[in-house]
Amino acid sequence: MVGRARAAFIALALVTAALLLSSCEGSGLSPIFPTPVSPNGQDIYDTYVGISIPAIIIFVGVEIALLWVVLRYRRSRQPVGYVPPQIHGHTGLEVIWTVIPLIVVLVIAGYSFLTLQKDFQPITGEQMKVIVSGRQFGWDYKYEGTEVVVRQDGTLAEDVTPFVVPTNTLIKLQFEGTDVIHSWWVPAITGKTDAVPGYANYSWMKISQPGIWRGECAELCGAGHSAMQIIVQAMDKPAYDQWMAKQVAALHPTPSPKPSPSPSPKASTSASPSPSPSK
Amino acid sequence: MATTALPRPKDYDDSFFKPISLWLTTTDHKLIGIMYMVTGVLSFVLAGIFALLIRLQLAQPNLKIVEPEIYNQIISAHGVTMIFFFVTIFLTGIANYMVPIMIGARDMAFPRVNLLGFWLVPVSILLYYMGFFTGGALNAGWTGYAPLTEKAYQSTSLGVDFWALSLIVWAISGIMASTNFLTTIVALRAPGMKLTRLPLFVWAQISTSILLLIVGAPLAAAMILVEFDRQLGTQFFTTQGRPVLYQHLFWFFGHPEVYIMILPGFGMISEIIPVFARKPIFGYMTMVAALFGIVFLSMTVWAHHMFTVGMNIYVETFFMFMTMLIAVPTGIKFFNWIATTWWGSVEFTVPMKFAWGFLATFLIGGITGVYLASVPVDTQLHSSYYVVAHLHYVLFGGSVFTIFAGIYYWFPKITGRMLNRTLGEWNFWTLFIGFNGTFLIMHTLGLEGMPRRIATYANPAWATTNMIITVSSFLIAFSVLLFLINVVRSWNGGEIAGDDPWRGNTLEWATSSPPPPYNFERVPPVRSFMPLQDLHAAPNGAKPEPEPVKA
């Protein structure tokens, strides 16, 4: 029977699709974001999952209705000489399928707003602040309160210099653009933030575990756009302190391009990162 | 559907091969419509070739088939050509051909404005492509965000200037066409064709024209400011100026443009589904109301393209909410289309298949649109391959499928010949499979962190997915090739269509195929929004209650 064969074919296609989608994370076929390592990323992840519930129900429902029309109401399945009822509409039905979607989007919007209010305002009370500036083609990370700047020059040939941060520390990120618009995005941490020339833009992160997370510039910024790789490396507090001390020491003997004031502020900068993350 | 009544001998030339002087100077809306459509299809092929180049470059990690600078020009040309020179132009063409006939008019209200409006389109296209010969075309994506388009970052090339000029000309052409459509529909309707009896395709054209009239000028304004910045040294959008202002201006045009590209498609679907389901459209008035709901809402949502620039969260909430609201009128249209076929006697001809393919795929674009509207989720998805997948589900699954549906539906009227059904079936299935194979798994690439507009990538995990996408994209190309073969073959020697091969509802099926230059010898009486159904119901034109004709 043609209809049954078609239904079997469709069922097979659906199963194949489901198998494809269930393949694991990082395969290029994952139906969801990478596992978040920062609470704001987790909230986005949860919102995504939340929206998926009505989305999947509506998707499956409508596709089944479309399929049902194909299977049931096609001319070859109707009796010979069948004249369809000439229905011009039904106010009650139309009100129903206006009001129900309205309620669904109200709920989704409200839920999204709660996440927005929780995570997307410039934070205060941060334990550490880094000024991230985008340029053609790379990122500069200036650790506030120190003279340390990590220059992450874009390249595809090898891993770029990692942006090192301590774990379990609330870090405020301030984004600045120096030439064109760039966008800083590490999917495992949180959503992207644009680095626009002319004003500062804010985000934050609090990474729960040591590790390396990758991202890229997400706003077309010229020929080197695809090379603007991002690597964030999170370290335990002691390892981070060691790394920071090394950076500061590296600044000390060789005169940095900027005229560095005197040894005394440098001593204070080497001391300054340790009290703030120790909170 | 062989309604093989022999064609009547015609007192006019209906062959495509008319003298070139006639094509250049004609003010006949039908010939202008054909020229629009042919221009659109040529642009489609050109932009499709750009798309294949993009897919070749991305097939594997670290490929260098083209240099990044050239790649950026290719993605920009792909976007600009598809959006401005294919979809919008093709839809203007099909409306130019059909709207006057569907309302029982003889021509557009301003035939010479129509002529000028059309000829500005090739001017606009040539202007854009001049960039390739003057040091490099636009390389900042079709959106052309400042300050990347500013002179400081484009030292030698004139591509951005030509893009800006091209879009100014394009906007003027669009404003001319919109004015013409609105005037035609308001002033030239046949007796009895009240507004509540307009075919839904004509209603869709009204809403589209209103949108283009409102947002065409801001686009031109944005482009003029870009030119000022580049050539007169002003600082509107430069690094020292306000780059985000450009985004506001551009998206105030750019988002409604999405609806300019899909509302006529909605209109065509609303024509096609009732004909092949043998039922009247379900909820005519709600369909019209939904169109205008979309028109209004589409102008209040532009900043949802800018959720990562750092706006106040309450402003973002407004744009999020308005964006999600669009799901409501769109949902109404969806449910009404499905209800139209419920209990129907549905014939899955090729146009109906494309209509169904549109519903099945556009639904995905609509649902992913809700994810993208949610500000927190959008900060992850924005500017990633998820967005590329979403916009292609809306513009390819939406606009292109409806355009194919419209072509298969109206080709018999325009040429007098049917498109070959077997080739049409192949065209549909290869397109449907190729399209979903290409774009469905792009969502997952975006979720895993692949940004859009990157010239290459290093991550080996994305290789397989990208390879599947590239292979599928060539299936789309194959499908389009089948379509072109079908058009050329059928235009020359297809089955004779007759006046009304589908047993249509609207006035265009009451005249000959192709219609004479004056469209109708006698416009049939219009007593409902399905005048031809009324004719079929009471053949001899003998109407029980002749309605007084109001001019």
Side-chain angles (χ1 to χ4, degrees):
Chain A
M1 204 159 151
V2 184
R4 187 154 303 167
R6 191 176 280 117
F9 171 75
I10 288 159
L12 189 71
L14 288 176
V15 169
T16 319
L19 281 177
L20 273 175
L21 288 179
S22 65
S23 57
C24 60
E25 185 182 319
S27 61
L29 289 166
S30 160
I32 198 155
F33 303 119
T35 312
V37 293
S38 178
N40 45 359
Q42 186 65 48
D43 288 336
I44 295 174
Y45 187 98
D46 295 342
T47 313
Y48 180 91
V49 172
I51 296 175
S52 297
I53 296 165
I56 290 173
I57 293 171
I58 290 169
F59 171 73
V60 171
V62 175
E63 295 289 358
I64 286 175
L66 292 174
L67 213 56
W68 178 248
V69 170
V70 175
L71 296 175
R72 174 62 191 85
Y73 298 122
R74 59 191 305 137
R75 193 160 300 164
S76 53
R77 301 294 297 263
Q78 298 284 29
V80 181
Y82 171 73
V83 178
Q86 300 296 295
I87 304 164
H88 282 263
H90 186 285
T91 312
L93 270 178
E94 289 168 59
V95 168
I96 287 172
W97 59 56
T98 308
V99 172
I100 290 179
L102 187 64
I103 293 169
V104 172
V105 300
L106 275 173
V107 170
I108 293 176
Y111 182 24
S112 302
F113 174 68
L114 292 179
T115 314
L116 186 64
Q117 209 178 22
K118 188 174 161 205
D119 292 337
F120 285 81
Q121 310 199 67
I123 54 160
T124 51
E126 69 273 11
Q127 294 160 287
M128 181 179 156
K129 185 176 170 187
V130 180
I131 296 168
V132 185
S133 58
R135 60 182 155 81
Q136 287 180 322
F137 296 98
W139 302 95
D140 295 337
Y141 303 87
K142 189 174 179 318
Y143 292 71
E144 203 181 64
T146 76
E147 284 176 16
V148 175
V149 177
V150 170
R151 281 180 64 87
Q152 198 167 58
D153 287 314
T155 174
L156 276 167
E158 51 183 11
D159 281 355
V160 292
T161 321
F163 164 37
V164 178
V165 294
T167 53
N168 296 312
T169 307
L170 181 58
I171 304 168
K172 184 173 187 172
L173 299 169
Q174 175 177 329
F175 293 92
E176 290 172 356
T178 52
D179 38 43
V180 301
I181 302 174
H182 306 271
S183 191
W184 196 84
W185 184 31
V186 182
I189 296 176
T190 185
K192 52 188 78 62
T193 316
D194 288 359
V196 186
Y199 64 90
N201 213 345
Y202 297 94
S203 179
W204 59 274
M205 60 186 183
K206 187 174 181 181
I207 297 180
S208 58
Q209 68 205 67
I212 285 180
W213 291 279
R214 290 165 191 276
E216 293 187 44
C217 173
E219 185 62 62
L220 179 59
C221 55
H225 171 53
S226 51
M228 272 179 81
Q229 305 288 315
I230 299 165
I231 291 182
V232 176
Q233 184 174 7
M235 297 179 177
D236 288 337
K237 213 69 59 68
Y240 170 77
D241 287 344
Q242 257 181 20
W243 175 86
M244 182 50 94
K246 228 169 90 184
Q247 302 304 307
V248 174
L251 281 176
H252 197 61
T254 45
S256 61
K258 303 172 256 181
S260 52
S262 61
S264 56
K266 255 176 215 158
S268 72
T269 55
S270 67
S272 72
S274 41
S276 62
S278 67
K279 292 178 112 178
Chain B
M1 286 298 291
T3 319
T4 41
L6 280 176
R8 287 170 292 161
K10 303 224 168 73
D11 54 354
Y12 53 90
D13 170 24
D14 70 348
S15 75
F16 183 71
F17 297 99
K18 300 179 173 64
I20 190 82
S21 56
L22 179 67
W23 282 110
L24 290 176
T25 58
T26 183
T27 55
D28 182 348
H29 72 98
K30 294 184 288 300
L31 299 188
I32 292 175
I34 290 174
M35 288 194 287
Y36 264 114
M37 286 187 266
V38 169
T39 311
V41 170
L42 292 179
S43 301
F44 181 46
V45 172
L46 183 60
I49 291 169
F50 288 133
L52 294 180
L53 285 173
I54 295 170
R55 283 322 312 170
L56 282 177
Q57 168 79 7
L58 295 178
Q60 288 292 295
N62 297 315
L63 285 185
K64 271 225 159 159
I65 292 169
V66 293
E67 290 299 312
E69 166 58 30
I70 305 293
Y71 180 84
N72 290 349
Q73 293 181 27
I74 291 175
I75 55 166
S76 311
H78 168 74
V80 170
T81 309
M82 281 292 185
I83 288 166
F84 293 100
F85 305 145
F86 162 49
V87 177
T88 319
I89 294 307
F90 188 93
L91 290 172
T92 310
I94 207 156
N96 219 305
Y97 198 107
M98 287 302 161
V99 163
I101 308 183
M102 289 176 105
I103 62 172
R106 208 182 145 144
D107 203 324
M108 295 282 276
F110 308 115
R112 270 171 264 189
V113 171
N114 203 13
L115 177 72
L116 177 59
F118 168 72
W119 283 106
L120 287 180
V121 172
V123 172
S124 163
I125 296 176
L126 286 178
L127 271 175
Y128 181 81
Y129 279 90
M130 285 293 283
F132 283 101
F133 306 103
T134 53
L138 173 72
N139 57 6
W142 80 276
T143 51
Y145 273 12
L148 187 56
T149 50
E150 297 288 342
K151 208 148 198 175
Y153 308 102
Q154 308 269 344
S155 45
T156 53
S157 68
L158 292 176
V160 174
D161 300 290
F162 280 116
W163 162 69
L165 293 175
S166 161
L167 292 199
I168 293 169
V169 173
W170 182 92
I172 293 169
S173 159
I175 290 168
M176 283 180 173
S178 306
T179 317
N180 213 345
F181 281 126
L182 287 178
T183 317
T184 307
I185 297 165
V186 169
L188 298 185
R189 297 193 307 277
M193 181 68 81
K194 296 178 186 173
L195 284 178
T196 50
R197 294 173 183 171
L198 282 180
L200 282 170
F201 178 68
V202 178
W203 269 117
Q205 198 54 40
I206 294 178
S207 47
T208 307
S209 302
I210 290 173
L211 266 183
L212 193 50
L213 267 186
I214 295 174
V215 302
L219 171 72
M223 291 303 134
I224 289 169
L225 294 184
V226 167
E227 269 309 277
F228 279 8
D229 273 3
R230 285 178 59 86
Q231 301 303 340
L232 304 179
T234 54
Q235 303 278 349
F236 290 109
F237 311 134
T238 61
T239 305
Q240 289 73 38
R242 289 276 171 209
V244 172
L245 174 62
Y246 172 81
Q247 298 184 20
H248 280 291
L249 277 173
F250 183 82
W251 286 116
F252 184 73
F253 157 80
H255 198 80
E257 168 68 9
V258 173
Y259 292 95
I260 290 168
M261 291 189 281
I262 194 63
L263 292 182
F266 285 179
M268 291 192 271
I269 298 303
S270 301
E271 295 303 325
I272 290 168
I273 286 180
V275 168
F276 295 108
R278 294 281 177 266
K279 277 183 70 200
I281 191 81
F282 191 92
Y284 176 94
M285 287 313 285
T286 18
M287 291 302 255
V288 176
L291 278 176
F292 284 89
I294 293 173
V295 165
F296 171 73
L297 289 173
S298 76
M299 280 180 286
T300 62
V301 300
W302 74 89
H304 70 212
H305 297 268
M306 303 162 55
F307 283 155
T308 58
V309 303
M311 278 180 287
N312 177 300
I313 63 159
Y314 298 99
V315 176
E316 291 181 329
T317 304
F318 169 79
F319 285 108
M320 164 170 78
F321 181 59
M322 296 312 261
T323 307
M324 287 185 183
L325 270 190
I326 294 191
V328 174
T330 315
I332 293 173
K333 297 192 84 73
F334 248 82
F335 293 124
N336 280 357
W337 284 322
I338 296 173
T340 304
T341 55
W342 217 255
W343 299 316
S345 167
V346 187
E347 192 185 6
F348 279 91
T349 57
V350 180
M352 189 63 183
K353 277 204 171 74
F354 274 104
W356 229 241
F358 154 76
L359 291 180
T361 53
F362 188 78
L363 174 68
I364 297 177
I367 288 175
T368 53
V370 175
Y371 285 95
L372 286 163
S374 164
V375 183
V377 179
D378 181 69
T379 61
Q380 279 280 19
L381 302 177
H382 175 73
S383 205
S384 75
Y385 260 84
Y386 192 94
V387 171
V388 178
H390 161 76
L391 77 90
H392 282 92
Y393 265 90
V394 175
L395 285 180
F396 200 126
S399 305
V400 178
F401 272 73
T402 58
I403 283 174
F404 274 113
I407 292 176
Y408 277 92
Y409 181 61
W410 277 319
F411 189 87
K413 179 50 62 183
I414 294 169
T415 65
R417 292 175 184 275
M418 306 295 288
L419 279 167
N420 182 295
R421 179 159 185 172
T422 313
L423 270 174
E425 300 267 354
W426 274 90
N427 180 198
F428 171 75
W429 284 109
T430 49
L431 194 73
F432 189 76
I433 295 167
F435 166 75
N436 285 295
T438 304
F439 295 108
L440 194 61
I441 50 180
M442 269 191 195
H443 291 106
T444 67
L445 278 181
L447 288 166
E448 291 195 8
M450 183 163 163
R452 67 190 292 198
R453 293 171 172 165
I454 50 171
T456 187
Y457 52 95
N459 190 342
W462 297 338
T464 317
T465 316
N466 271 299
M467 193 43 128
I468 299 172
I469 292 173
T470 300
V471 171
S472 305
S473 72
F474 277 83
L475 187 59
I476 297 179
F478 173 71
S479 181
V480 174
L481 194 66
L482 288 182
F483 166 74
L484 294 175
I485 292 171
N486 197 357
V487 166
V488 172
R489 271 189 45 182
S490 304
W491 207 324
N492 287 322
E495 188 189 338
I496 301 289
D499 292 355
D500 186 8
W502 310 119
R503 226 155 65 90
N505 292 330
T506 39
L507 280 184
E508 76 271 25
W509 304 107
T511 183
S512 61
S513 304
Y518 41 85
N519 289 351
F520 294 95
E521 285 163 10
R522 195 173 68 90
V523 179
V526 181
R527 293 199 166 75
S528 74
F529 63 85
M530 300 194 298
L532 256 70
Q533 287 300 322
D534 305 343
L535 273 190
H536 291 314
N540 316 315
K543 288 286 159 189
E545 32 141 353
E547 192 176 289
V549 172
K550 282 170 270 178

